[in-house]
Amino acid sequence: MTADLLAPLDLAFWNIESDRHPMHLGALGVFSAHSPTAGAHAADLLAARAAAVPGLRMRIRDVWRPLAFGGAARETDPDFDPLNHVRLHAPTADFHAVAGRLMERPLERGRPPWEAHVLPGEDGVSFAVLFKFHHALADGLRALKLAAGVMDPLDLPERTPRSIEPPRPMLALPDVRRVPELVRGALSDVGRALDIGASVALSALGVSSSSALKSTPTGTRSIAGVDLDIDDVHRVRKAVGGTVNDVLIAVVAGALRRWLEERGDGTDGVAPRALIPVSKRRPRTATPQGNRLSGYLIRLPVDNPDPLARLDRVRTAMVRNKDAGPNRGAGAVALLADHVPALGHRLGGPLVGQAARLWFDILVTSVPLPGLGLRLGGDPLTAVYPLAPLAPGQSLAVAISTYRNQVHYGLVADASAVPDLDVLARAVTDEVDSLIAVCDQ
């Protein structure tokens, strides 16, 4: 039975979790159905195919051996049963409402931490699948790969095998000529850690966020999805410059402003800190494998009434972050997990989770999806709404995916703190319409 130690950030996610703040990410996929029984057929296929995907058989177990004391490792579950993970639900007219309630429930930690919930549509012409993966098992890219493993096979052209270079001989002892370089590297790491710490402290000063983005944890969840035409996003980008991601982030800022105004909340001086995750995935040969994330931290210009000015401020902030690189600044604080021993993660996990509210106010993350159309049981996947975990003390998280010709926003909220998530979802669409109107003038 193979096992591999969790990477430091995976271990942090495993220990941060609580009943009211489960650390699983999700994706709600909506399919066109060829018959009213397509949902039940999909559930059967998922259960049958899951056993053949090695990553879905991995559970997480505590480790109490020297050099990894207090850590955890992934290992194959000898008692793996797909029927414990794939569930068929009653037909529903509202996929998002059911998925929201399912996202509240923590995954069972004693077995492989993932679930697939199949939701047949009452209309008989659609069904949805909610995938849940613990963040310690998979980041967004790996979760996508695991989910794709139970979809219908894709007819892809054969890849030309690359030549494999013979391994280089390894020295038993470090080359003494590299000692000065290693010392400089260690000092650089210390300097980077101090820089990140100072940036985190400075990020909490100055402009404030809205109380609507903070909450007392209730453990409840609601989700909403928004669909945009990718051509509309490109239309704005071509008119004003920047990147597609700049436009999508600026849309979040504008939607928050509209939402707060409709609530009757003030927006003067409101510029919440948004964490924009950046993947620093290790190569497959690295040990340990797993999550390797940094991030950019920017102020969302919610206080600015001009849509184009908001976009310009987002673009400027993202350029500044990219120039500094993902290893510096407050957004890179996740990299500090590498310097914490395993036992420190176990003992300090709850404290670190509570500190998230001091670091950022809202998560805005993008999840890349393949351009090829996916199918399950022959039924095409028409939309994918990514769903991010909600940090303690925060009421809202936003995840964005681009699938084929559509952009899909997945909004996750504390249902008690944000009973009007539908208003925010509508504000996303209104903000895009506003940007297009301004660009066409």
Side-chain angles (χ1 to χ4, degrees):
M1 183 164 57
T2 60
D4 64 283
L5 290 174
L6 294 190
L9 191 55
D10 293 340
L11 185 59
F13 287 137
W14 189 245
N15 287 298
I16 286 172
E17 182 171 66
S18 67
D19 289 342
R20 291 190 174 185
H21 284 93
M23 288 304 299
H24 55 253
L25 47 85
L28 181 66
V30 179
F31 297 79
S32 293
H34 68 278
S35 76
T37 61
H41 179 54
D44 291 340
L45 283 177
L46 291 173
R49 293 171 177 175
V53 180
L56 296 178
R57 305 178 66 97
M58 304 300 286
R59 65 183 179 184
I60 296 176
R61 307 293 266 177
D62 293 337
V63 173
W64 299 103
R65 63 173 184 260
L67 302 181
F69 190 80
R74 298 183 193 88
E75 65 179 18
T76 303
D77 184 356
D79 301 317
F80 175 70
D81 183 351
L83 295 180
N84 289 330
H85 302 265
V86 179
R87 291 149 197 187
L88 177 65
H89 294 259
T92 178
D94 191 337
F95 296 140
H96 289 93
V98 177
R101 292 191 292 270
L102 293 172
M103 285 294 288
E104 296 176 3
R105 307 176 187 174
L107 294 165
E108 199 164 320
R109 292 168 71 95
R111 56 193 182 201
W114 69 273
E115 292 174 353
H117 297 270
V118 182
L119 315 175
E122 283 186 353
D123 54 14
V125 297
S126 64
F127 68 91
V129 179
L130 173 67
F131 286 102
K132 294 167 57 179
F133 296 97
H134 199 287
H135 221 322
L137 179 70
D139 60 7
L141 292 174
R142 179 165 169 76
L144 172 63
K145 182 178 179 181
L146 292 174
V150 292
M151 295 289 125
D152 293 354
L154 294 174
D155 295 325
L156 300 175
E158 292 187 7
R159 297 177 62 182
T160 303
R162 294 184 300 177
S163 59
I164 302 176
E165 296 182 2
R168 296 178 179 179
M170 297 187 66
L171 298 175
L173 295 174
D175 187 342
V176 294
R177 292 170 296 181
R178 294 191 61 229
V179 169
E181 176 188 342
L182 295 174
V183 171
R184 285 195 300 270
L187 292 176
S188 176
D189 286 345
V190 172
R192 187 180 302 120
L194 292 174
D195 175 70
I196 292 171
S199 297
V200 171
L202 290 173
S203 71
L205 302 176
V207 189
S208 66
S209 63
S210 170
S211 59
L213 298 177
K214 303 173 183 177
S215 68
T216 300
T218 67
T220 59
R221 292 291 181 272
S222 61
I223 70 172
V226 185
D227 304 321
L228 303 179
D229 192 320
I230 189 63
D231 290 338
D232 289 338
V233 178
H234 282 299
R235 190 170 163 188
V236 174
R237 178 190 61 80
K238 290 176 181 178
V240 300
T243 68
V244 166
N245 204 40
D246 293 341
V247 176
L248 298 178
I249 295 170
V251 166
V252 174
L256 288 173
R257 179 181 176 85
R258 292 171 180 272
W259 173 58
L260 292 174
E261 288 180 334
E262 188 157 342
R263 278 184 154 210
D265 294 347
T267 57
D268 289 345
V270 174
R273 298 158 299 176
L275 176 65
I276 317 294
V278 177
S279 176
K280 290 176 61 64
R281 177 180 287 274
R282 291 184 174 97
R284 291 183 180 180
T285 55
T287 303
Q289 297 183 38
N291 280 291
R292 179 70 175 173
L293 293 173
S294 180
Y296 298 142
L297 199 68
I298 71 171
R299 292 280 187 177
L300 295 180
V302 173
D303 55 345
N304 195 312
D306 183 347
L308 292 184
R310 287 196 294 266
L311 177 51
D312 184 65
R313 283 174 57 179
V314 167
R315 182 173 60 240
T316 300
M318 289 299 289
V319 168
R320 186 166 54 246
N321 274 295
K322 291 172 185 176
D323 287 344
N327 292 329
R328 288 195 173 276
V333 71
L335 297 178
L336 299 181
D338 290 347
H339 304 285
V340 178
L343 189 59
H345 281 295
R346 181 175 296 273
L347 298 177
L351 182 61
V352 171
Q354 293 299 323
R357 72 181 75 190
L358 303 176
W359 173 25
F360 64 97
D361 302 301
I362 182 172
L363 178 73
V364 182
T365 183
S366 296
V367 181
L369 294 178
L372 298 172
L374 298 174
R375 292 177 178 268
L376 181 56
D379 296 314
L381 177 66
T382 59
V384 184
Y385 303 97
L387 306 170
L390 202 58
Q394 296 172 351
S395 61
L396 182 67
V398 179
I400 310 166
S401 68
T402 303
Y403 178 65
R404 312 201 80 177
N405 296 319
Q406 295 287 309
V407 176
H408 303 291
Y409 280 77
L411 311 178
V412 178
D414 184 291
S416 296
V418 186
D420 54 349
L421 190 60
D422 59 321
V423 176
L424 178 59
R426 187 172 64 250
V428 171
T429 302
D430 292 343
E431 179 65 12
V432 174
D433 292 341
S434 176
L435 280 168
I436 291 174
V438 172
C439 291
D440 286 347
Q441 290 179 355

